[in-house]
Amino acid sequence: MPFSQYIQLNDGNKIPLIAFGVGSAVSKRWGNAKALPELVKTALQAGYRHLDTAEEYENEEEVAEGIRMSGVPREDIFITAKDLSTESVTTEQALRKTLNNLGVEYVDLYLIHNAMFAKNDQDWQRKWTEMEAVREKGLARSIGVSNVERQKIEAILKIAKVPPAINQIELHPYFQRTELASWLKQQNIALACYSPLAPLRSTRPGPVDDIFQSLAEKYNVDESEIGLRWAIDQDRVVITTSSKVERVRGYAKSLPSFKLTSDEISDIAELGKKKEFSGFWQFFAPSGGDK
């Protein structure tokens, strides 16, 4: 059964709250993509309906093969892709290459992967104008940004005909981005979280260990599923991945079966404030950026 929780973006399109990510260990750039078609097939057949991809992962063709193997119709799958933003290639050229690699006519969401290419606000604003153009041509149904601070989004909003629908950033209990998340909500810009399980994977022991364990016992689920629901139950899109077929199936089965209470969400947040850890944000905002 498909995972059926969605939120509505500011352009009226709906996005599934859980995405199967194809970066990290299953990318050609940083890992091994050979198993990816089978993993994508398994994820889609298990109920995932959102795939999070990127040009930088160098595995779009493997994703396409997995989609074909799954038998799930294209119109039932929400595909997020990301633009690498190289100076020699326009946004439309990059997206058309991605569409060809994925074997589709459009993506549901196209993101600027990061702002590192922009030397100034004018570069950034020019890029956003190109993003609006591919949306106008129907190559992307929604457009947004990734790894971007408030200042960069404010620069976009000064000239935008279409505001960003979403900002995808590193976010978890040890890196909550409270000020940025609050501002995005005020602007009606959705939030997507990658590395949601960093407290369990990268930085143990820590102050959320005990509450994750006790809640996992309460709901009879894995601790990692508590970490994912902490984001989902705040209406945040969550990107998770695994190279293990059993875990992919387990998430799809368990995540729809329970919800955290508002008190449990708050308790995790309060404990998370006792430790700070970021695996990726330092690359995109060396000065620290928004909190």
Side-chain angles (χ1 to χ4, degrees):
M1 179 180 296
F3 187 83
S4 58
Q5 274 192 266
Y6 296 76
I7 57 170
Q8 184 168 296
L9 299 172
N10 57 20
D11 58 11
N13 294 323
K14 291 184 177 180
I15 183 171
L17 278 172
I18 182 167
F20 181 71
V22 300
S24 304
V26 291
S27 71
K28 282 182 182 174
R29 183 163 187 179
W30 300 296
N32 183 354
K34 290 182 179 179
L36 185 56
E38 185 66 27
L39 287 168
V40 170
K41 182 193 82 170
T42 297
L44 291 171
Q45 291 182 343
Y48 290 81
R49 287 298 179 266
H50 184 177
L51 299 176
D52 184 83
T53 73
E55 177 186 359
E56 190 173 19
Y57 304 158
E58 299 177 358
N59 58 10
E60 292 169 336
E61 292 172 335
E62 285 79 7
V63 172
E65 179 62 19
I67 292 172
R68 286 191 290 271
M69 290 166 59
S70 76
V72 176
R74 165 65 184 100
E75 59 268 23
D76 293 344
I77 305 170
F78 189 102
I79 299 176
T80 294
K82 305 182 196 78
D83 179 283
L84 191 53
S85 303
T86 56
E87 292 182 359
S88 60
V89 179
T90 68
T91 301
E92 181 172 344
Q93 288 171 332
L95 179 50
R96 287 192 182 277
K97 182 180 178 181
T98 284
L99 296 177
N100 183 65
N101 289 342
L102 291 171
V104 298
E105 296 181 354
Y106 67 92
V107 293
D108 298 272
L109 176 62
Y110 198 45
L111 306 178
I112 305 173
H113 205 154
N114 60 67
M116 295 173 69
F117 70 92
K119 298 179 178 64
N120 49 52
D121 283 352
Q122 288 71 37
D123 287 349
W124 185 236
Q125 290 168 336
R126 266 193 303 273
K127 183 68 175 180
W128 189 252
T129 300
E130 291 186 9
M131 293 288 285
E132 291 178 327
V134 297
R135 179 183 181 273
E136 183 68 24
K137 291 182 178 182
L139 303 179
R141 294 191 168 176
S142 297
I143 51 177
V145 295
S146 180
N147 298 305
V148 172
E149 301 173 78
R150 172 176 173 171
Q151 178 185 359
K152 293 293 186 184
I153 299 177
E154 287 177 329
I156 285 176
L157 294 177
K158 289 177 181 178
I159 57 92
K161 297 176 182 176
V162 178
I166 199 166
N167 187 14
Q168 183 184 123
I169 58 174
E170 179 182 1
L171 194 148
H172 48 77
Y174 294 155
F175 199 59
Q176 297 185 38
R177 318 303 308 283
T178 306
E179 293 178 9
L180 179 58
S182 176
W183 182 81
L184 289 170
K185 188 173 183 179
Q186 292 171 15
Q187 301 300 317
N188 196 25
I189 297 172
L191 186 56
C193 316
Y194 67 79
S195 296
L197 301 180
L200 295 170
R201 302 281 188 264
S202 307
T203 181
R204 300 191 90 162
V208 300
D209 290 359
D210 289 345
I211 192 170
F212 272 35
Q213 182 179 353
S214 64
L215 290 174
E217 292 171 357
K218 173 183 175 180
Y219 291 108
N220 193 29
V221 296
D222 189 81
E223 289 180 32
S224 59
E225 288 154 2
I226 300 299
L228 295 175
R229 287 270 14 160
W230 182 77
I232 293 168
D233 290 332
Q234 298 181 75
D235 285 336
R236 295 168 176 174
V237 178
V238 63
I239 296 98
T240 186
T241 190
S242 178
S243 59
K244 299 178 181 178
V245 168
E246 297 79 9
R247 182 165 288 166
V248 172
R249 289 178 177 150
Y251 286 165
K253 180 179 179 181
S254 298
L255 285 171
S257 70
F258 75 102
K259 289 185 67 174
L260 299 179
T261 67
S262 58
D263 284 345
E264 288 165 348
I265 292 168
S266 297
D267 289 346
I268 291 171
E270 285 303 310
L271 289 167
K273 292 176 184 176
K274 297 180 179 181
K275 182 172 184 175
E276 183 166 317
F277 171 84
S278 169
F280 295 94
W281 191 246
Q282 57 186 311
F283 300 111
F284 305 114
S287 63
D290 304 310
K291 295 296 184 183

